[in-house]
């Protein structure tokens, strides 16, 4: 991965030094074994599950320990396994230096337990929500959500996983041995300084485009190597980057058999050779390694950026590159088949819409080109012309109804996320979405426009409204977020 930054650094060196440097890089790449978040089995647990947000020490690159942050871990956090029908008690302790909240992204639970900006956990405080788990098997996640500080805290490392089970994956015979043939891959990117520490210092332009690093990390490390059985392996992909959209493919162009989107299984696996995954989204995929060949997971360039208009130069294109490598471990037993069908996805009834709403995601100066520079960055990001305000309820919905939301992006693509629900995409840029986007979703990448059907099944009083927002975290922090009640 010869990135822009490496190239600039290298060009100052002699050709001999350049060669030595490249050799060192080639050796270092794919040397680190893929770390697995610790599996924390909360099924049947009566006692609260402790999660402690605190600073830690972590080596993103081998041999370079730097400061990080995580939930009961030096960086990232555990994969908490829960089961449908269970009420999971959590005890989240904030031992970090800043006010935080913990949001359970993807859970369909009442807003009081949701962990949005209104569920503040002060420094030294502990928050004890009870999460009533009642939704299909899926991969969800959790991360900080304090208004104005989400991007920095997630970038520092605070990100964990929730593995919701209901027995269906077991029945289908899907790979499910955690860390062996069932691997979570938390995809992120960072700018590293010379010491190997991630730097977070977005310029105004990087706030407008979203802050993207030049180096991809998976489960907290650069260029890892996973050893997998010579068979069918399940990857739980999570884009937990602040802003980067990953355009994933394998170096030999083998297929991703997509089996699940954000909220659970698709009706049947969908084979794709390229898989776009935007911040906040998850896909579970099956990949066939039975030919025994090593393969590299790659990502294409990310050119998602706003039209800069009068600001002049656009922010740079972000290069793609190699993400990680898979090698084969023949000592492990392998699953060999990919099921023909999965779990039927009930189509929501578009004839029973209680309300229709429009959301325009503002990513340029208010009012377009002539809007002036005076408002500061906060004034530029908003929804329907208004930046987020914790004291303002933007939308009031009725509990137990279905709504049709029309979302439009102004000049760049935005991953639009809704709390407290799993929705279905009716149209994407005016068309029926591709098959792998026809299941349950909580985040949709809106390139130009999308229509989604939103079931409203969870209560949200004025004291704890649900959020809807862009999951490019700089946009969210800068005001591309709104809140709704449900009663
Ligand atoms: Cu993953 Cu409101 O966020
Ligand atoms: Cu969420
Ligand atoms: Cu956005």
């Amino acid at each position: 991965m010869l990135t822009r930054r490496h190239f600039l650094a290298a060009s100052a060196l002699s050709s001999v030094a350049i060669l030595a440097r490249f050799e060192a890089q080639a050796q270092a790449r794919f040397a680190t074994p893929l770390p697995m978040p610790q599996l924390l089995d909360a099924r049947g647990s009566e006692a609260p599950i402790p999660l402690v947000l605190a600073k830690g020490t972590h080596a993103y690159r081998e041999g370079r320990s730097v400061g990080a942050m995580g939930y009961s871990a030096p960086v990232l956090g555990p994969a908490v396994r829960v089961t449908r029908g269970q009420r999971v008690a959590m005890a989240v302790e904030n031992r970090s230096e800043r006010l935080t909240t913990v949001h359970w992204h993807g859970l369909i639970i009442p807003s009081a337990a949701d962990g949005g900006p209104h569920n503040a956990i002060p420094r030294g405080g502990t928050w004890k929500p009870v999460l009533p788990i009642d939704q299909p098997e899926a991969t969800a996640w959790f991360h900080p959500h304090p208004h104005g500080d989400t991007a920095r805290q997630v970038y520092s490392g605070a990100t964990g996983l929730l593995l919701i089970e209901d027995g269906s994956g077991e029945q289908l015979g899907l790979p499910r041995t955690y860390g062996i043939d069932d691997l979570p891959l938390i995809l992120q990117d960072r700018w590293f300084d010379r010491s190997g520490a991630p730097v977070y210092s977005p310029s105004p332009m990087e706030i407008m485009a979203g802050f993207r690093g030049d180096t991809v990390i998976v489960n907290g490390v650069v260029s890892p190597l996973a050893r997998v059985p010579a068979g069918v392996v399940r990857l739980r992909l999570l884009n937990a980057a602040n802003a980067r959209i990953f355009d994933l493919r394998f170096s030999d162009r083998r297929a991703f058999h997509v089996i699940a989107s954000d909220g659970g299984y698709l009706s049947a696996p969908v084979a794709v050779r390229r898989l776009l995954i935007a911040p906040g989204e998850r896909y579970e995929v099956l990949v066939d390694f039975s030919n025994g060949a090593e393969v590299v997971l790659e990502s294409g360039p990310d050119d998602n950026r706003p039209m800069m208009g009068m600001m002049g130069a656009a922010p740079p294109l972000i290069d793609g590159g190699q993400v990680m490598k898979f090698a084969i471990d023949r000592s492990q037993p392998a699953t060999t088949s990919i099921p023909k069908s999965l779990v039927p996805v009930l189509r929501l009834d578009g004839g029973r819409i209680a309300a229709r709403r429009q959301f325009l995601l503002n990513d340029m100066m208010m009012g377009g080109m002539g809007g002036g520079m005076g408002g500061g960055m906060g004034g530029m990001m908003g929804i329907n012309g208004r930046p987020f305000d914790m004291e303002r309820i933007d939308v009031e919905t009725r509990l137990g109804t279905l709504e049709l939301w029309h979302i439009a992006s102004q000049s760049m693509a935005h991953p639009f996320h809704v709390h407290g629900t799993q929705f279905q995409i009716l149209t994407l840029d005016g068309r029926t979405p591709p098959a792998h986007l026809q299941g349950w979703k909580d985040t949709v990448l809106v390139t130009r426009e999308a229509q989604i059907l939103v079931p409203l099944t969870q209560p949200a009083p004025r004291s704890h409204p649900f959020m809807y927002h862009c999951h490019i975290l700089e946009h969210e922090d800068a005001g591309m977020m709104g809140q709704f009640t449900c009663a």
Side-chain angles (χ1 to χ4, degrees):
M1 183 171 15
L2 179 58
T3 62
R4 210 160 22 87
R5 181 182 263 197
H6 292 141
F7 183 77
L8 292 177
S11 60
L13 304 170
S14 76
S15 56
V16 175
I18 290 171
L19 209 64
R21 187 193 167 102
F22 285 172
E23 273 166 17
Q25 281 182 359
Q27 277 170 16
R29 191 172 307 149
F30 310 133
T32 312
L34 177 72
M36 279 294 114
Q38 191 208 337
L39 183 64
L40 208 163
D41 199 340
R43 294 174 300 180
S45 166
E46 297 288 322
I49 306 298
L51 289 176
V52 180
L53 179 66
K55 284 197 166 169
T57 307
H58 171 67
Y60 292 91
R61 291 181 199 277
E62 215 148 292
R64 298 208 185 183
S65 283
V66 295
M69 187 159 85
Y71 294 103
S72 306
V75 74
L76 300 174
V80 184
R81 183 172 266 174
V82 299
T83 192
R84 187 170 194 171
Q86 179 188 10
R87 294 171 61 82
V88 187
M90 294 283 186
V92 188
E93 188 184 338
N94 180 7
R95 268 192 231 151
S96 81
E97 283 155 11
R98 308 166 85 104
L99 180 146
T100 195
T101 83
V102 180
H103 167 57
W104 319 104
H105 180 136
L107 290 197
I108 308 173
I109 56 172
S111 67
D114 181 63
H118 296 265
N119 293 103
I121 316 173
R123 288 171 51 182
T126 299
W127 181 51
K128 294 185 169 173
V130 175
L131 318 180
I133 308 294
D134 186 16
Q135 65 190 90
E137 190 155 307
T139 303
W141 62 302
F142 56 95
H143 61 78
H145 214 304
H147 180 50
D149 204 31
T150 296
R152 180 178 298 277
Q153 292 189 20
V154 173
Y155 193 88
S156 301
T159 293
L161 293 166
L162 289 165
L163 313 180
I164 306 161
E165 292 195 352
D166 67 6
S168 52
E170 189 175 3
Q171 245 173 29
L172 288 163
L174 295 173
R176 54 193 296 278
T177 309
Y178 184 81
I180 303 289
D181 63 5
D182 180 355
L183 312 179
L185 301 182
I186 302 171
L187 305 173
Q188 297 175 303
D189 62 351
R190 297 289 182 266
W191 278 109
F192 289 109
D193 67 11
R194 291 224 180 135
S195 74
V199 182
Y200 189 72
S201 55
S203 66
M205 201 180 275
E206 283 168 325
I207 289 175
M208 289 196 71
F211 187 78
R212 281 167 281 195
D214 67 341
T215 306
V216 173
I217 56 175
V218 187
N219 296 353
V221 301
V222 178
S223 307
L225 171 72
R227 294 192 178 279
V228 295
V232 173
V233 172
R234 171 193 201 151
L235 305 176
R236 299 173 189 256
L237 303 166
L238 160 66
N239 184 340
N242 282 37
R244 182 193 286 238
I245 298 168
F246 291 95
D247 180 2
L248 299 174
R249 63 206 174 200
F250 284 103
S251 50
D252 60 5
R253 302 298 181 260
R254 75 181 63 190
F256 301 86
H257 300 270
V258 184
I259 55 168
S261 53
D262 305 332
Y265 293 115
L266 304 175
S267 300
V270 177
V272 296
R273 294 192 194 273
R274 279 178 61 189
L275 184 60
L276 210 62
I277 180 168
E281 286 189 304
R282 287 88 65 213
Y283 287 107
E284 291 183 36
V285 300
L286 298 180
V287 181
D288 189 352
F289 293 97
S290 56
N291 71 2
E294 294 186 348
V295 66
V296 172
L297 181 65
E298 306 172 340
S299 181
D302 177 5
D303 63 356
N304 189 29
R305 48 195 172 163
M307 247 157 42
M308 297 307 283
M310 58 196 270
M311 303 258 310
L317 212 118
I318 300 296
D319 295 336
Q322 298 180 318
V323 173
M324 65 176 290
K325 184 166 152 179
F326 294 87
I328 307 304
D329 174 0
R330 292 195 179 273
S331 70
Q332 298 288 351
T335 307
T336 51
S337 66
I338 293 176
K340 292 261 173 299
S341 64
L342 299 162
V343 178
V345 175
L346 293 183
R347 298 311 302 170
L348 293 170
D349 181 357
R352 297 182 41 211
I353 292 161
R356 290 165 191 268
R357 303 184 194 279
Q358 307 259 7
F359 300 93
L360 175 64
L361 309 178
N362 311 111
D363 56 32
M364 298 192 299
M365 276 145 275
M366 292 304 174
M369 299 300 177
M373 306 275 291
M377 294 324 277
M380 294 181 182
M381 296 285 167
I383 297 180
N384 293 340
R386 300 193 291 195
F388 180 70
D389 179 350
M390 266 180 84
E391 306 304 320
R392 184 188 69 229
I393 301 297
D394 297 280
V395 168
E396 295 181 341
T397 70
R398 278 200 51 210
L399 192 60
T401 63
L402 181 67
E403 296 196 352
L404 178 70
W405 290 13
H406 181 263
I407 307 127
S409 289
Q410 203 169 33
S411 85
M412 64 183 278
H414 300 279
F416 184 82
H417 169 55
V418 189
H419 287 206
T421 187
Q422 290 289 335
F423 56 75
Q424 288 179 358
I425 305 171
L426 206 57
T427 63
L428 214 45
D429 293 336
R431 302 198 186 143
T432 305
H436 70 286
L437 289 170
Q438 292 184 16
W440 297 106
K441 294 284 293 168
D442 56 50
T443 307
V444 55
L445 183 63
V446 181
T447 307
R448 287 195 300 277
E449 51 165 335
Q451 288 183 296
I452 61 174
L453 284 171
V454 187
L456 299 155
T457 63
Q458 301 299 312
R462 296 189 80 83
S463 59
H464 293 87
F466 279 132
M467 303 294 132
Y468 53 85
H469 60 88
C470 175
H471 220 288
I472 291 178
L473 300 180
E474 286 72 31
H475 292 180
E476 172 189 336
D477 279 345
M480 197 180 286
M481 178 154 73
Q483 44 189 8
F484 66 102
T485 57
C486 188

